[in-house]
Amino acid sequence: MSDLEKATVKDALIKKIKTKEATIAVVGLGYVGLPFAVEKAKIGFKVVGIEENPLREKMINNGENYISDVDDVELKRLVEAGLLSAKGSFDPLDQFDVIVVCVPTPLTKNLVPDLQHVERVTENIAEHLRPGQLVSLESTTYPGTTEEVMLPILESSGLEVGKDFFLCHSPERVDPGNKRYTTKNTNKVVGGVGSNSLEVAKTFYEQTIENVVAVSSPNAAEMVKVFENTFRAVNIALVNELTLLCDRMNINVWEVLDAAFTKPFGIMPFYPGPGVGGHCIPIDPHYLEWKAREFNFTTRFIGLSGEVNRRMPEFVFEKVRRVLNEIGKAPSRSKMLLLGMAYKKDLSDCRDSPALVLAELLLDDGIELIYNDPYVESVNIKEKKFSSVEITGNLIQEVDLVLIATDHSMYDYNWIVSKANKVLDTRNATAAVIANREKIALL
Ligand SMILES: NC(=O)c1ccc[n+]([C@@H]2O[C@H](COP(=O)([O-])OP(=O)(O)OC[C@H]3O[C@@H](n4cnc5c(N)ncnc54)[C@H](O)[C@@H]3O)[C@@H](O)[C@H]2O)c1
């Protein structure tokens, strides 16, 4: 291919992107992929989701939504307008110009990165790769994944990066449930394999995102994302550790933190809780920890924060036993209502939720446990199915202890406290409750 032809490949793709003639494949229509696909379809791109879960594929093609950050009506409208659809796998006839990879990046039980989804998808893309395509990895991963894992697979097609096709990493920063910062107005970092990939990728992201921040390589972009989540994990661990100390010293940690965060500089609010959950904070830092070992480097903050955060459900469990003891109840003869099974308020996501770990510890101790979560119909704990119960005044009065594990906004905490015998609040959700405070034990 001559230099002119190479320039034409890049310029032609940029032109297609700018005129919205480019067709986009989004691989993995989950918490990240579906909102992303909707944002792109909204501005006129034709977007096809490649989703291996047949139920999700079917729902999208029926115009049905399953991700809370996506607007039901918007999704239906885009599907009906032919701008958004889903299919189970790539087809040899697909002619996508941009392929965005949003598949899960979990950990194995031994906290080792499990890149099987990214590898499998990259192999599928390589099979169909043609000149003039941009491939972007959005999944969170360790520095090196784009260039060391994806690039060799893609180049095994015989095509060359930066000339025939373009490759970048642009980490997703979606904060599920955040109404102020969405995919559109959150600054987006992008690092390309070489300057041509960066130019194409930046053009692509600038179509929907207000501020695209270019970094020098995919390695740097990958490091940005794992650092951001490590920053959160470490700071959450710090306030969790402070909570354990305050508990021993009989100091109200919530009062301390609220007062500390009145300082207008040099500090940032983080709050304790029963542990960390979701697909980011408990996982991503360990991707970096694992990679660091290749460089004979120990990331001590990551190890320590993981240890502190993972211990929190046990601390809450100890506190439950203490509170039951104070009201003269043996755990094996007590009944408890757990409020909030999701890992975060106002969401239905239960992945790695500390409430699940907590529920298991309580059941193991012989406590009769029921739960309510307006967003989580049922869960499996120790291979047994539990369904969310309806909360009534009678039910709250009947249990010995109400445990607030997740502080959903729709709960009426005044009413809950007024009816309850005792409440253990792990989120300070009852901060505004004035009456009956003697019934409340805080984390
Ligand atoms: N959830 C978050 O808040 C968040 C935020 C930022 C980044 N991330 C990162 O984004 C990535 C995706 O996370 P998520 O929360 O959207 O996951 P998810 O589980 O909600 O969605 C992933 C989707 O990919 C599909 N999938 C898996 N393998 C596939 C394959 N080979 N082909 C087609 N579809 C496939 C799954 O069926 C699922 O629908 C992860 O790396 C995660 O760390 C997540």
Side-chain angles (χ1 to χ4, degrees), residues 26-35 50-54 56 66-67 87-90 101-106 116-118 120-121 124 138-141 171-176 225 229 278-280 283-284 287 343 347 349 351:
V26 177
V27 193
L29 291 178
Y31 285 91
V32 167
L34 188 56
I50 311 286
E51 172 52 61
E52 69 171 12
N53 178 336
R56 288 189 161 187
Y66 50 82
I67 297 284
K87 58 198 294 189
S89 58
F90 285 101
V101 179
C102 307
V103 293
T105 43
Q116 58 160 311
H117 300 284
V118 172
R120 198 151 43 89
V121 169
N124 289 159
E138 292 248 347
S139 304
T140 309
T141 184
E172 180 53 61
R173 281 172 159 170
V174 69
D175 179 17
K225 176 68 188 181
N229 284 353
H279 192 344
C280 296
I283 295 174
D284 304 344
Y287 265 66
Y343 85 91
L347 291 187
D349 193 352
R351 289 176 298 178

Side-chain angles (χ1 to χ4, degrees), residues 234 289 292 297-307:
V234 168
E289 182 181 42
F297 190 91
T298 309
T299 51
R300 287 184 288 162
F301 277 101
I302 294 177
L304 188 59
S305 59
E307 205 181 302

Side-chain angles (χ1 to χ4, degrees), residues 298-325:
T298 309
T299 51
R300 287 184 288 162
F301 277 101
I302 294 177
L304 188 59
S305 59
E307 205 181 302
V308 172
N309 290 333
R310 272 195 300 278
R311 218 190 91 63
M312 287 313 284
E314 278 170 47
F315 173 69
V316 177
F317 170 64
E318 278 168 38
K319 197 124 189 183
V320 166
R321 298 194 66 164
R322 231 191 293 159
V323 172
L324 287 175
N325 201 25

Side-chain angles (χ1 to χ4, degrees), residues 110-112 286 288-298:
N110 302 326
L111 305 184
V112 171
H286 297 295
L288 186 57
E289 182 181 42
W290 177 84
K291 186 66 180 177
R293 280 190 220 128
E294 197 180 305
F295 297 85
N296 194 22
F297 190 91
T298 309

Side-chain angles (χ1 to χ4, degrees), residues 140-415:
T140 309
T141 184
Y142 58 77
T145 307
T146 307
E147 289 194 86
E148 292 164 19
V149 178
M150 292 182 81
L151 182 58
I153 299 175
L154 294 173
E155 286 200 323
S156 70
S157 65
L159 298 179
E160 199 179 327
V161 73
K163 292 178 178 161
D164 306 315
F165 73 97
F166 309 96
L167 177 63
C168 75
H169 177 64
S170 183
E172 180 53 61
R173 281 172 159 170
V174 69
D175 179 17
N178 192 328
K179 303 277 179 245
R180 184 169 169 209
Y181 290 107
T182 59
T183 308
K184 190 176 161 59
N185 64 356
T186 304
N187 303 338
K188 188 115 167 81
V189 171
V190 60
V193 181
S195 56
N196 284 349
S197 289
L198 179 61
E199 190 184 340
V200 176
K202 199 163 173 283
T203 307
F204 173 62
Y205 284 105
E206 278 171 351
Q207 303 308 304
T208 45
I209 290 151
E210 286 163 16
N211 187 22
V212 177
V213 181
V215 292
S216 62
S217 64
N219 271 2
E222 286 155 343
M223 187 62 109
V224 167
K225 176 68 188 181
V226 277
F227 166 69
E228 287 167 9
N229 284 353
T230 300
F231 178 86
R232 276 192 67 71
V234 168
N235 281 285
I236 293 169
L238 181 65
V239 290
N240 278 338
E241 191 179 67
L242 188 76
T243 304
L244 304 193
L245 177 63
C246 282
D247 180 70
R248 288 201 186 182
M249 295 176 74
N250 203 19
I251 294 172
N252 181 334
V253 72
W254 304 97
E255 183 189 2
V256 171
L257 294 174
D258 282 345
F261 299 142
T262 60
K263 186 179 173 191
F265 46 84
I267 200 157
M268 192 182 274
F270 283 92
Y271 292 97
V276 288
H279 192 344
C280 296
I281 308 301
I283 295 174
D284 304 344
H286 297 295
Y287 265 66
L288 186 57
E289 182 181 42
W290 177 84
K291 186 66 180 177
R293 280 190 220 128
E294 197 180 305
F295 297 85
N296 194 22
F297 190 91
T298 309
T299 51
R300 287 184 288 162
F301 277 101
I302 294 177
L304 188 59
S305 59
E307 205 181 302
V308 172
N309 290 333
R310 272 195 300 278
R311 218 190 91 63
M312 287 313 284
E314 278 170 47
F315 173 69
V316 177
F317 170 64
E318 278 168 38
K319 197 124 189 183
V320 166
R321 298 194 66 164
R322 231 191 293 159
V323 172
L324 287 175
N325 201 25
E326 277 163 22
I327 56 172
K329 285 277 173 183
S332 59
R333 293 213 194 96
S334 41
K335 186 167 178 181
M336 261 180 71
L337 168 65
L338 185 150
L339 297 181
M341 200 52 96
Y343 85 91
K344 188 177 170 187
K345 76 182 227 177
D346 306 336
L347 291 187
S348 61
D349 193 352
C350 276
R351 289 176 298 178
D352 279 299
S353 176
L356 289 168
V357 183
L358 200 46
E360 204 169 316
L361 290 169
L362 297 168
L363 289 166
D364 276 347
D365 209 35
I367 291 176
E368 189 184 340
L369 185 72
I370 50 175
Y371 91 93
N372 171 273
D373 191 312
Y375 306 102
V376 184
E377 224 169 89
S378 64
V379 285
N380 280 330
I381 304 168
K382 298 183 73 104
E383 288 164 26
K384 198 176 153 207
K385 184 176 169 183
F386 288 77
S387 297
S388 173
V389 296
E390 191 192 338
I391 35 173
T392 61
N394 280 347
L395 181 84
I396 296 177
Q397 277 166 346
E398 186 194 308
V399 297
D400 299 299
L401 182 62
V402 175
L403 171 65
I404 302 171
T406 304
D407 49 343
H408 291 311
S409 314
M410 57 96 71
Y411 287 133
D412 180 346
Y413 293 106
N414 269 306
W415 177 74

